Structure formats: structure tokens, C-alpha cells
Amino acid sequence: MATLGRLDWYDIARATNWTPSYVTEDELYPPELSGADGLRMEAWESYDEPYKQTYSEYVKVQREKDAGAYSVKAALERSNMYANADAGWISVMKAHYGAIARGEYSASTAEARMARFGKAPGMRNMATLGMMDEIRHGQIQLFFPHELCGKDRQFDWAHKAFDTNEWGIIAARHIFDDMFTTRGAAETALMLTFAFETGFTNMQFLGLAADAAEVGDWTFSSLISSIQTDESRHAQIGAPLVTVLIENGRKAEAQQIVDVGIWRAWRLFSVLTGPIMDYYTPLEHRKQSFKEFMQEWIVTQFERSLLDIGLERPWYWDEFMAQIDTQHHGQHLGVWFWRPTVWWNPAAGVSPDERDWLEEKYPGWNASWGKCWDVITDNLLEGRIELTYPETLPVICNMCQLPINTTPGPAWQVRDYAHTHEGRTYHFCSDPCRWCFQVEPARYAGHLSLIDRFLAGMIQPMDLSGGLAYMGLAPGEIGDDAHAYAWVEKVRAARERLAS
Amino acid sequence: MTDISTAYRNNRVGPVMRHGDLAVAVAEAAQIDNPDRQITVEDKIAYLRIETDDELVLTRATIEDMLGRPFSMNDLEVDLASFAGRIDTGADSVRFYYATHL
């Protein structure tokens, strides 16, 4: 029997909009859940998803993807990769799994919202598949690290992290809750599938896969690049939505949502992806610098596609470009300095050879960030390790929830971007973070940063031990230098060579 | 490396394929299916970035020839990790393109 080709029936089969007669449109699609900004169902009929997929094709392709990822894992299980891996690379895996795995379930919730409340039939079909994609990502990224829990209990944080009040997780939850789980379907599609997945997930799932392949960790490389093949399909939910919004006179609204989404994603990646690419990944295995990956994936590829669908560069473009050079160096310094407060062991990444690489990739590094590391290095060389631990708390941004910092050195100009709303003063790291708040203050006003919680007396005793208990970090889990300070001896040897 | 702040001013389109035999077949097919275009292939070990300016077409028939086995167009997704430009998916071809030229 002859059968129709998929494209001959796809558009008709997924045309599932009808005119409701028992309920009103707003009852069927409550505005706060559809997020359609008043656009009626007719306006969504023109939504045309570019990446069409049927359920039967989906099952077949996904089965093949899983078979690939699991067979690479099985084949390499006896390869001793883990036993021989550099401690910095082990930290990359710990940070990745803890920060990402459970967040995938938030993304699945987001896709489920689009699958039910998206007014465009094509969006609902794509999101149904996307919802299952994200369940796959959650489960596979919990399964792979599970076997490592017995080797190192920090891997337990792959599952545990999101149930704690660890500071990095407070930051991750703040952004994921904002972008994935607390908005209507249309806004969610713009933020999650467009700003986050068309753009930034490429950094963590393909850029990092390139580093993993260089390291020889094919299990991890194959896993995360396989995940990104799902993203590259369901990320296409967002672009046709922008077209519909622009056609209906809502470009400014779409631009604002996308601008918030890009900025929020950037801040998270500056603390997660930046340090692991430029400091934790062993020097000889770094495929490119973080900045070079940002240029490849975000500026050259993502920003260009944003222009093509009719949006503009974000208003904070210059600030964004400046931060790509600098911000992750500050986040890394902070993570290493407050290392007891993370569930992995940060690699300092500042041995003499590594500093040469940083100076080459980021001219001026030695004269700025390097000066801070000089002090830390001198203290370690002279056995004053206690001076390399924090005694105070950082000021944390009330939007990104990350420590406020700028490039040190003669041009140091750290400042607080403060804003008072209904009697409470909020502190922000930058103009764009403050702007995100000002755009929708009611959404964020009730949140307390970790420092706000300290000052409110919610964390007792008010010292490091109380902080660690609040964050759920037990002995054996709290972070320390990845290489047990072995890099300091490389500095000592280099200085002795110079002196002789 | 061009200045990062202006790097968005480009017209590069094409698939980013996970490492493997399909990636190699796609890179070869891109040359054959787009004879008038200069195709570049960047090998990042974990992935191949296959690009040209403005438009890049891949046909199922050519990929079958390069693989030496039957191939269904939507099986491209198994290793299509990302792409530059917009995508247009069909039963016998896939097109990557930009609607505008900068």
C-alpha cells in the first residue's frame, strides 16, 4: 500500500486548534499560562516550525541516540579514564552534573507548559517532544555520574545539589525558576528555547565536548554532545514565535524578553562555563579559550541568527562584550577563594605555564587578575594557608546571585548598582542586572540573596561553619584546591630557577 | 581572529555535526551538493563545523552515496548537534540559510 510522505500530512495532522464552544478562549488558555500577550488563536495559525518531527520518527531517532551514548559509556567503562584523569577535569564533571542534571527537570516542566498552553499547534507538537527530551537529559545525567558516587562523594551532588541552599545552586535556581518554570508558554519559549538553547547551551554541551574529547573523556564528550542534538531540534520552537510576535506588532515585547534571557544566561555561564574552560581543563587539552568559544557560539552564530529573525542586538551589547573578556576571571577567583562553599574542588589554574596562556588569551591578565593570584601564591609559598581563606562575605547581586566584582588593578572601579523598591534597597552587579529587576520588580522583589539571609539572622551560627551547614555541605564534600596545592611547587621551582 | 564585538557580522551557515562517520559523509556531501560554494570544515574533534556563506543544501541521495547505505533525512538529527543559520527540513533535503545578507 502506498503511504503519504511525512511532509504531505504533517501540517494537517498537527493542526489541532479549534474554536472552543463550552469555554472561552481565556479559560482554555489562561493568559498567565499561555503568555500570549493578548494574541488570539487565529494569530497563531501562521506559526510554522522549521524543524518538523513526528512522534514515530522521534522514537526511532532518540532510540539511536541513547544506544550511541550508552554504548560509548559501556565500551569505555574499563578504560581507567577516571583513574588517570587530571583532578581539574574531575572537577569539571562534578560542577557540570550538580549544576545541570536536576535543572533539566525544570526545563521539562517548561516544555510541558508549552505543550499544553502554547496557542500554536506546531509549538505544542515540538514541545511535547522537547518535554521528553528534557526528561532524557535529567535521567541520563543522573545515571552517568551515579557510578562515580562510590569513588568520591562529591559526585552525590549531581542529584543532591538542587535540594540544598548552596550559593551556586541558589543562583542556578533563581535563573531557572525565572526563565523556565514561572512564565507563560510564549515567554518561556523566548527565554528557554531561544535565548538559552539556541545560544548558550552550545557553550556547555558542545564547546565543553570539544575540551572533553581533547582530554580523552569520550564518555562525557559523547553524552553532552548527544544531548545538544535534542536541543538543536526543540530550540527551534522560539524563532517562528518571534516571527508571529513581530507580525502582530509586539517586537518590543519580544526584544525585552530575549534581552533579559540572554543577560541572565550570560551571568550563569560566566561562573559555570568560564572557570572550567579556562582554569580547570588541563592546559594541554584546552581546545580554545572561553572567550574564543563565546565568539564562535554566541557572537558569530547566535547573535547573527537573532538579527536574521528580525530582532536587534541587546541594548547592553558593549557591556556584554567587555564582560566576555573579564567577568569569568573574577568569578573563578571568587569560587577558588570561597572553595569550602562548593561541592567540587576548584583547580587554581595559575601555574607559570597556565599564567602564560592566560596572558596570551587575555592580554593584561597578569597586571590585573594576576596581581590577586600573586598574593595568594605568596601566602601559600610561605606556608600561610590560613590567609588564603575568606573571613568575610562577598556582596552578592540581587539578580544573578553572584559575587559583585570587576577587574582589579589601577583601573579597578567596582561599584554597587543599587535600586530602592518599596522601601528595600537592592544591590546589583551591573546595569543590565538592575534593569532586569526594574522591568518586572514584583517578580523578584521577595527573594533574599544568601547574604540577605545572613544579615536577617537566618543562618546560625553566623560564621563559616554555620554557612556550610546552611548550604548542606558536609565534611568530605566541601571543596578544596583540586591539586592539593601541587601547582605552588611549580611556582617555587620557577622562582628558584630565576634566582639561580 | 576578528574583533569579537563585530563577529556577528557574517553570513556563515551550515551544520555542526558530532564526530563520526555521518559527520564525514555530510562534509563530503556538502561539497557535492553545493558545487558553486566554498565549503569550509573546521574539525574540533568532538564536532565538525561545516559552513559556507548564505545557503547550504544537503540531499538525502548524496549522503546515501557518501555513506554507502540507505539514509533517511531525519536521521541527520542523530548527530546534528547544532547549526549556524536557519533550517528548513524536507523529506529529501535539508537547507541551512539566512534570509538576510550582511
Side-chain angles (χ1 to χ4, degrees), chain A residues 97-242:
Chain A
Y97 285 126
I100 302 285
R102 290 274 299 277
E104 304 281 8
Y105 288 104
S106 293
S108 188
T109 302
E111 295 281 347
R113 178 157 301 162
M114 291 182 262
R116 166 61 183 85
F117 295 106
K119 284 192 175 181
M123 176 193 281
R124 295 199 294 270
N125 185 55
M126 297 280 290
T128 302
L129 309 181
M131 174 181 69
M132 291 183 284
D133 289 338
E134 301 295 0
I135 292 172
R136 172 186 183 236
H137 304 170
Q139 296 191 338
I140 199 169
Q141 288 178 103
L142 290 175
F143 180 74
F144 275 49
H146 184 258
E147 67 171 356
L148 301 174
C149 289
K151 301 180 194 292
D152 185 333
R153 66 183 285 188
Q154 286 180 330
F155 276 106
D156 196 27
W157 279 67
H159 191 278
K160 174 180 170 179
F162 269 78
D163 296 319
T164 73
N165 281 317
E166 194 276 342
W167 67 267
I169 289 300
I170 292 176
R173 268 203 304 263
H174 192 281
I175 176 179
F176 291 163
D177 286 355
D178 185 13
M179 294 173 69
F180 302 175
T181 62
T182 60
R183 293 179 184 266
E187 291 184 9
T188 305
L190 290 174
M191 285 198 154
L192 169 61
T193 74
F194 190 66
F196 200 73
E197 293 175 337
T198 315
F200 281 88
T201 55
N202 284 306
M203 289 292 292
Q204 185 74 12
F205 289 89
L206 285 174
L208 192 58
D211 279 346
E214 285 275 347
V215 168
D217 190 350
W218 282 101
T219 304
F220 190 66
S221 178
S222 158
L223 167 67
I224 58 180
S225 67
S226 176
I227 286 171
Q228 195 61 20
T229 65
D230 296 355
E231 305 276 305
S232 103
R233 170 177 27 77
H234 71 235
Q236 292 302 310
I237 291 172
L241 171 66
V242 174

